[in-house]
Amino acid sequence: MELGPATRRLFYVALLCLLALTVAPRPACAQANADPAQLQNSGVARLDHWLNHVRATGDAVTTRNELMAAQNELQASYLLFAQRQEPARAAWSAVKLGDIQRYLNHWAQAVSEYQVALQLAELAKRADYQTKALAELAFSEMNAGSTDAAADHVAEAVRLGAHCGNDAFYFDALDTAAELETKRGDLTAAGDYFNRALAMKDRIVDKQQLYLAYANGGEIYYQDARACDARQDADVCTQLLQLARDNYRKAQAIAQEAGYGYLASAMQNLLGDADTLAGTIQNEQKHNQSLAAMSMFNPTQPKDVLVTEEFAPGALNAQTVAMMENLVKQMQDWLARVQQQGLTVRNLNPDDEWIQGSLAEMKGESNAALPKYEEAVQLLEQDRRNLRDPQARSAFMEDKIGYYYSPALILLGQKRYGEAFALFEESRSRAMADLLVSRPLNLGTAKERTLFSDLQSQRTAIAALQGKLFNLTGAADRDQNGKQIADLEAQIAGLQEKYRLLEARIAREAPKLNELTSSKPVTLDSVQRAAAEGRYDVLYYVVTDTNVILWHIGGGEVEVKKIFLPHAVLAAKAATLHDRLVAPRDSPDAAFNADVSRQLYLYLIQPVAAFIKSRHLLIIPQDELTSIPYQALENPADGKYVGETFEISYAPSATVLATLEAKPNLKNGRLLAVADPEIHDAREEVHAIGALYPGRSKVQAGEPASKAEVQAWVGGYDFVHLSVHGKFNPSDPLLSYLQFKPGPADDGHLTAAEMFGLPLQKNALVVLSACETGKAQATHAGELIGMVRSLLYAGAGNLVLSSWEVNAASTKLWMETFYREGQTKAPVEAARLALVAVKSNPAFSHPFFWAPFLLTGK
C-alpha cells in the first residue's frame, strides 16, 4: 500500500531521529539549494579514493580527512533526499554511510545505518538496494557477534538477490553467506555459496569483489585442511590445501593487476600459512606412520602401557617459547597499528587469551596461564550461546575443544577434579544436550513434532546436496562436470527456498521451536551421586593428540589416569578392530584375531580395573572410541570378554546421561513389535517377543507396515521393537534410514532426520533390530549425528541399536533372550545375558554375531 504524504513525512522524521541517535556527529542540516545527487556522487568518489589508497598501502590514517569529508557529503545528500521524499536515493546514501562505519570497524553503528537503508529500500520497492543493504547488514552483524541475525538477513539477501536484477549485489550476498558459514564452521555450505558466486564471475565488473570472493574461497579450503586429523588421508588434506593456494593466488593476481600492493602482500602471507600447514600435515602423517609401526604400542601385559597421573606439559625449550613470544608480539603490534589508524577491534578475543595462556604455560607458569585459558572459554561460551541453531552450535565447537582442554589439564595436575571435569563436559555433546533440555518446551503438539521433523529433513537434504557440490567443484575434473554442478546448484536453491518458507511457517505457527535453551553441564558430584544410586561405574574418556585421559567415576571415589596412546595409533587400532569384527560378513569362516581387542583392553580398561566396584560399566566415549564395542574387548589375564563379565551401556556425555531414566525391567508396559515379513527370522522374532506381553502388544509381521503407520503407532507403547532393514549413510548420517513399505509418493525410508518428530512416550525403550542402526558420525566435540541423537530427542530413555550389518539368526536369539530375561532383570543385565547366550552357540562364537548391539542409557 502506498503511504500518504503526511505518513511519509512522519516516517522520514522518525528515520532522522533514529540517525541522530545512532551515528557519529554530522551536519545538523543541509542547504536546501544543494544538489543531493552531486553530493552523493562526490561522497562516493571520495570513499572510493580512500579505499583504493588503503588497498594499495595499508595506510588508513593520512587520508582520514577525505573519509570524513565523504561522510559529511553523504550525510548531507541523505538529508536532502529524505526531505524530497526520494527513498531510493536516500537508501543508497545510507548504504554508503554504513560502509564508512564498517570500514572503521564500528559494527554497531554500521548495523544501524544498514537497517535504515533497508527500511528505505523497502519503502522504495527496490529489491536491488534491499539485497545490498541486507548483505552488508548481515556482514556487520556477524562481526558484531549477532550470528543468528546475520544468518536470517543473509538468507533473505540471497533470496532477493537471485531476482533483483543486479549481479554485483547478488554476488555480494552469496559471498557474505559463504563467509558467515565459514565462521559458523559449516564449510560444506560455505563452499556451496562460494561456488554459486563464482559461477557469476564473468559478469562481475568490480575486480575487488572477485578479490574478496577468491580470498574467502581460499579460507574455506584452508579451514577444511586445518580440520584434517589422524582419520583422514593425507592426499585429501593436500588437495584441500592446493585448492586454498589456487584461490589465494587468484586473489593475489587481481590485487597486483589493480595496483593494490597491500592486499597482494596479505595474500602472500596467507599463501605462506598454507605452505606451513602443508608441511605440518606431511610431518604429522610421517610421524603417525612411524608411531603405528612401533612395538611399544602393541602391549601384551599391563606393564607395557605407560600410565601416569601427571597432566601438565611443563616448561618447553627456549626456542619454542621464543616463537610463541614472537607470535604474541606480532598480535600486539597489529593491535597497536589498528588503534593508531582509528579503527576499533573486539576488546577481548578467545584466540588472543588462549595464545597468552599458552605462552605462560610454556614458560612453566601454570597459575598465570589458567586465568587466561578460563577467560578464553568464557568468551567462547558467550559466542556459542548466541547461536540458536543446533547444527551451528555443533559446528562452532568442532575446532575449539582444545580451548577447554588446556585449562582442564592444568586443573587435573592440581587435583582439582571437579573443575577439570566441568570443562571437559562443557566441550562435549553440547548441541545434543541443548536439544534435550529444550525438548520439553518445544514439542508439545503433533504439529510441532511434524514441523520440527520436516525442518531437520529439509536441512539434511540441503546438506547432502551441498556435500556433493563441494566434492564436484573441488575435483580436478571440475570443468567436465559443468551441467551436473549447475543442476545441483538449482536443486539446492529450490530446497533453500522451501526451507525458508518452512522457517516462516514455524515462526508463525510454532515459534517455540526457535527457542534453543543452553544446557548447564552436570557436575562431577552429581555424576558420582547418580553412579552410587544406579550402582554403576562410569568410564569417561577424553582423547587428545598424544594421550587418552581415562576417568573412573564411582559412587565413592574418582580416579583419573593419563595413558600414552597417540591419536593416530588409537585411530588405526579402532579401524583394525572394526575390520576384524565384521570379517564374517564377507568371509563366513573368518576367525577372530583378538590381539587388538586385548591391546585396547589394556589401554582402555586395565588402568582403572582395580577401582571398579560394580558389574555395570557406563561408557562415555569420544572420537574413535565411539566406534568400539567395549563388550568385544578381551581381558588377556583370563581370556574373558568385557561383555561376559560386565553389564555395559553407553552415553554421549554425562550431561546427556543425566536426562535419561533407568528402567527396572521390561515387564510392565505395552509393546509394539514390527517386522519385515520378507525377513523370516524377524517374523519369528517379533511373535516370540509379543508372546511375552499378552494383551499388551501389537505385533505387525504378516503384512509390511508403512512409514506413516509406524509413525502413528509408536506413541501408544512403552517398548518399540522394529525388526526391519536399516542403512547407515556415512556422508549424511541423518539420511540413515529404516526401510518400511513404499507408497505411491513415498520410498518407505524413515530417516534419522524424520525420527526427531516421532511421538515416543517419555522414557520409552526403542530397539532397532536392524543393520547399522547404532552407527553415528562422532565429531571432535562429542556430537553423535545419527539415529541415537534423533531418538533421544523424540523421547526415548533407552536404546538398543546395532553397530554393523547383523546376522538374522543370531540377532533373533539375542533379541528373544534380551526380552525374556528383561521380564525380571534390568535391561543392561538382560543385554549381558543375551550376549552370553549367543556366544555360547558354537555357530556364533565370533564377536560379529554377539557383539553388535549397544545399549544407550542407564
Side-chain angles (χ1 to χ4, degrees):
M1 188 174 89
E2 199 66 25
L3 295 177
T7 307
R8 291 168 70 94
R9 197 171 298 113
L10 286 171
F11 178 80
Y12 285 116
V13 169
L15 284 180
L16 292 176
C17 292
L18 178 62
L19 280 169
L21 290 169
T22 58
V23 300
R26 298 174 185 154
C29 60
Q31 294 182 358
N33 59 354
D35 182 356
Q38 183 177 351
L39 287 169
Q40 187 184 72
N41 291 337
S42 177
V44 171
R46 288 181 188 275
L47 179 57
D48 288 344
H49 184 265
W50 178 83
L51 273 175
N52 288 335
H53 177 76
V54 174
R55 291 165 181 166
T57 65
D59 170 30
V61 175
T62 58
T63 55
R64 184 72 178 273
N65 289 337
E66 187 167 20
L67 184 64
M68 294 301 99
Q71 184 179 33
N72 289 335
E73 288 179 333
L74 288 166
Q75 171 65 1
S77 73
Y78 168 81
L79 293 171
L80 288 169
F81 283 132
Q83 290 169 6
R84 298 181 185 189
Q85 297 187 12
E86 297 184 52
R89 291 185 169 186
W92 189 242
S93 292
V95 166
K96 290 299 175 182
L97 287 167
D99 289 348
I100 291 173
Q101 298 300 328
R102 180 163 56 87
Y103 296 142
L104 293 172
N105 292 349
H106 296 165
W107 302 113
Q109 294 94 322
V111 166
S112 297
E113 296 281 17
Y114 291 129
Q115 287 172 336
V116 170
L118 178 59
Q119 293 176 43
L120 288 166
E122 290 171 346
L123 185 66
K125 295 185 171 64
R126 288 290 299 266
D128 53 347
Y129 285 0
Q130 289 179 58
T131 300
K132 179 66 173 174
L134 282 164
E136 303 301 356
L137 174 60
F139 184 85
S140 301
E141 288 169 331
M142 175 177 67
N143 284 280
S146 301
T147 311
D148 278 340
D152 291 340
H153 287 133
V154 80
E156 182 65 8
V158 170
R159 185 186 72 84
L160 283 174
H163 308 287
C164 77
N166 189 309
D167 288 340
F169 293 170
Y170 182 38
F171 187 94
D172 274 347
L174 291 169
D175 192 42
T176 301
E179 190 164 355
L180 174 64
E181 294 299 348
T182 303
K183 182 180 179 69
R184 297 207 301 179
D186 191 343
L187 300 178
T188 302
D192 167 36
Y193 286 118
F194 166 66
N195 284 292
R196 286 163 65 181
L198 209 60
M200 303 167 57
K201 66 180 186 299
D202 294 336
R203 308 200 301 270
I204 302 303
V205 176
D206 184 357
K207 299 303 180 184
Q208 172 65 14
Q209 286 185 283
L210 292 177
Y211 168 87
L212 292 173
Y214 282 121
N216 288 337
E219 186 66 9
I220 292 168
Y221 291 117
Y222 178 82
Q223 293 298 336
D224 213 3
R226 274 190 63 199
C228 283
D229 59 21
R231 294 175 289 189
Q232 289 180 277
D233 191 295
D235 292 340
V236 174
C237 307
T238 301
Q239 183 183 5
L240 289 168
L241 278 174
Q242 188 55 51
L243 290 168
R245 289 192 194 96
D246 290 345
N247 281 283
Y248 288 149
R249 290 193 184 103
K250 288 175 182 176
Q252 185 180 46
I254 291 171
Q256 289 170 338
E257 182 180 353
Y260 298 153
Y262 177 70
L263 295 186
S265 66
M267 284 302 105
Q268 189 59 47
N269 290 337
L270 293 179
L271 283 165
D273 291 344
D275 291 340
T276 301
L277 181 58
T280 300
I281 290 173
Q282 289 176 359
N283 290 337
E284 286 182 351
Q285 291 288 338
K286 292 178 181 177
H287 180 60
N288 292 341
Q289 290 171 1
S290 63
L291 283 176
M294 294 176 67
S295 60
M296 69 175 295
F297 295 114
N298 297 307
T300 58
Q301 51 189 333
K303 69 176 185 179
D304 297 336
V305 177
L306 180 58
V307 181
T308 72
E309 294 183 13
E310 298 295 326
F311 299 96
L316 298 183
N317 60 61
Q319 182 180 6
T320 303
V321 172
M323 288 174 59
M324 286 296 296
E325 288 178 329
N326 183 53
L327 182 61
V328 172
K329 184 177 184 303
Q330 289 178 15
M331 177 183 70
Q332 293 171 338
D333 289 346
W334 171 81
L335 184 61
R337 287 197 304 273
V338 168
Q339 292 172 336
Q340 286 172 2
Q341 293 179 2
L343 305 179
T344 59
V345 295
R346 179 175 177 173
N347 292 329
L348 292 173
N349 184 289
D351 296 338
D352 300 342
E353 298 295 314
W354 187 84
I355 289 172
Q356 293 184 50
S358 297
L359 177 59
E361 188 175 15
M362 287 179 179
K363 292 179 178 179
E365 301 169 359
S366 295
N367 289 332
L370 189 56
K372 290 294 182 182
Y373 284 146
E374 291 175 332
E375 182 62 33
V377 168
Q378 291 305 310
L379 292 170
L380 283 175
E381 284 293 301
Q382 291 174 18
D383 288 343
R384 193 192 70 83
R385 285 192 293 268
N386 286 335
L387 299 170
R388 69 166 180 263
D389 180 77
Q391 278 74 13
R393 288 190 179 184
S394 176
F396 176 79
M397 290 293 293
E398 184 65 1
D399 63 347
K400 297 176 178 66
I401 57 173
Y403 289 79
Y404 295 79
Y405 289 4
S406 296
L409 292 173
I410 291 177
L411 291 166
L412 278 180
Q414 297 174 355
K415 304 294 185 183
R416 295 160 66 179
Y417 289 163
E419 295 167 81
F421 182 82
L423 283 165
F424 283 129
E425 191 62 15
E426 271 190 308
S427 71
R428 177 172 296 198
S429 290
R430 293 298 299 283
M432 182 188 280
D434 291 346
L435 274 172
L436 295 180
V437 169
S438 305
R439 176 186 60 197
L441 305 175
N442 294 347
L443 296 189
T445 68
K447 174 189 277 189
E448 288 169 340
R449 286 192 294 270
T450 300
L451 286 173
F452 188 79
S453 174
D454 289 347
L455 193 70
Q456 299 303 314
S457 298
Q458 287 280 4
R459 180 186 284 124
T460 302
I462 292 169
L465 292 179
Q466 286 175 331
K468 293 179 181 178
L469 182 63
F470 190 82
N471 292 332
L472 277 177
T473 54
D477 58 349
R478 168 185 174 142
D479 294 339
Q480 300 174 22
N481 297 315
K483 184 179 185 306
Q484 192 174 356
I485 289 172
D487 289 344
L488 280 172
E489 288 173 343
Q491 291 178 54
I492 291 168
L495 285 176
Q496 286 176 330
E497 176 61 12
K498 290 181 180 178
Y499 185 79
R500 183 190 71 80
L501 294 173
L502 182 58
E503 282 192 310
R505 182 185 171 194
I506 287 172
R508 293 191 310 270
E509 301 178 13
K512 288 189 297 182
L513 293 181
N514 288 325
E515 299 172 7
L516 183 61
T517 305
S518 186
S519 60
K520 183 177 180 181
V522 295
T523 65
L524 180 59
D525 286 344
S526 68
V527 177
Q528 278 192 271
R529 287 195 300 272
E533 293 169 4
R535 298 181 180 179
Y536 55 75
D537 289 78
V538 175
L539 300 186
Y540 184 101
Y541 297 86
V542 178
V543 178
T544 72
D545 289 340
T546 54
N547 303 288
V548 172
I549 309 297
L550 170 54
W551 293 68
H552 166 259
I553 305 171
E557 59 187 357
V558 174
E559 296 290 334
V560 190
K561 306 293 183 181
K562 183 174 78 173
I563 301 149
F564 181 44
L565 181 60
H567 194 173
V569 178
L570 171 62
K573 290 188 180 299
T576 300
L577 178 65
H578 177 270
D579 290 344
R580 292 180 179 177
L581 286 171
V582 301
R585 181 182 58 194
D586 302 316
S587 303
D589 296 328
F592 182 59
N593 185 331
D595 54 353
V596 175
S597 170
R598 299 185 192 103
Q599 291 168 15
L600 286 170
Y601 178 93
L602 292 172
Y603 279 120
L604 303 178
I605 294 181
Q606 179 63 42
V608 295
F611 305 105
I612 296 173
K613 300 294 191 294
S614 74
R615 294 192 63 198
H616 179 186
L617 299 183
L618 208 156
I619 310 295
I620 302 181
Q622 187 193 24
D623 270 346
E624 285 78 12
L625 298 180
T626 60
S627 69
I628 295 175
Y630 279 66
Q631 57 267 31
L633 303 186
E634 181 185 337
N635 183 348
D638 59 14
K640 286 190 175 182
Y641 288 92
V642 174
E644 295 178 278
T645 307
F646 293 100
E647 305 162 350
I648 300 177
S649 62
Y650 300 83
S653 74
T655 303
V656 170
L657 176 68
T659 69
L660 309 179
E661 298 178 18
K663 279 190 175 296
N665 55 55
L666 306 181
K667 183 176 183 179
N668 299 316
R670 289 166 51 80
L671 168 76
L672 170 67
V674 178
D676 183 341
E678 294 185 2
I679 307 174
H680 179 268
D681 287 303
R683 295 200 310 271
E684 293 187 358
E685 173 187 310
V686 296
H687 282 299
I689 294 169
L692 298 172
Y693 298 86
R696 295 179 290 122
S697 65
K698 177 179 177 61
V699 175
Q700 180 76 16
E703 295 292 332
S706 69
K707 177 173 72 174
E709 287 173 328
V710 172
Q711 290 171 316
W713 292 337
V714 295
Y717 296 91
D718 305 283
F719 311 113
V720 177
H721 181 99
L722 304 177
S723 186
V724 296
H725 288 296
K727 187 66 178 176
F728 177 70
N729 187 323
S731 300
D732 301 284
L734 288 179
L735 291 180
S736 304
Y737 63 87
L738 298 178
Q739 180 67 62
F740 294 100
K741 180 178 69 177
D746 177 17
D747 59 8
H749 292 180
L750 177 61
T751 67
E754 292 172 316
M755 291 177 191
F756 276 102
L758 288 176
L760 295 175
Q761 288 198 11
K762 181 173 171 29
N763 199 37
L765 168 71
V766 178
V767 179
L768 302 185
S769 178
C771 297
E772 302 183 302
T773 51
K775 290 184 72 172
Q777 182 188 79
T779 71
H780 291 300
E783 302 292 350
L784 289 181
I785 313 299
M787 294 184 190
V788 172
R789 184 191 192 98
S790 307
L791 292 169
L792 291 180
Y793 184 81
N798 295 269
L799 305 173
V800 176
L801 310 177
S802 63
S803 294
W804 52 77
E805 295 180 11
V806 294
N807 172 269
S810 61
T811 296
K812 175 176 176 290
L813 175 58
W814 195 102
M815 291 296 169
E816 290 178 5
T817 306
F818 173 69
Y819 279 96
R820 185 177 62 254
E821 296 292 345
Q823 300 302 298
T824 57
K825 301 176 180 66
V828 285
E829 174 62 5
R832 187 190 72 82
L833 292 171
L835 180 152
V836 172
V838 176
K839 186 176 181 298
S840 299
N841 186 322
F844 302 140
S845 61
H846 194 289
F848 168 77
F849 299 100
W850 51 261
F853 292 103
L854 309 179
L855 194 153
T856 297
K858 296 178 180 177

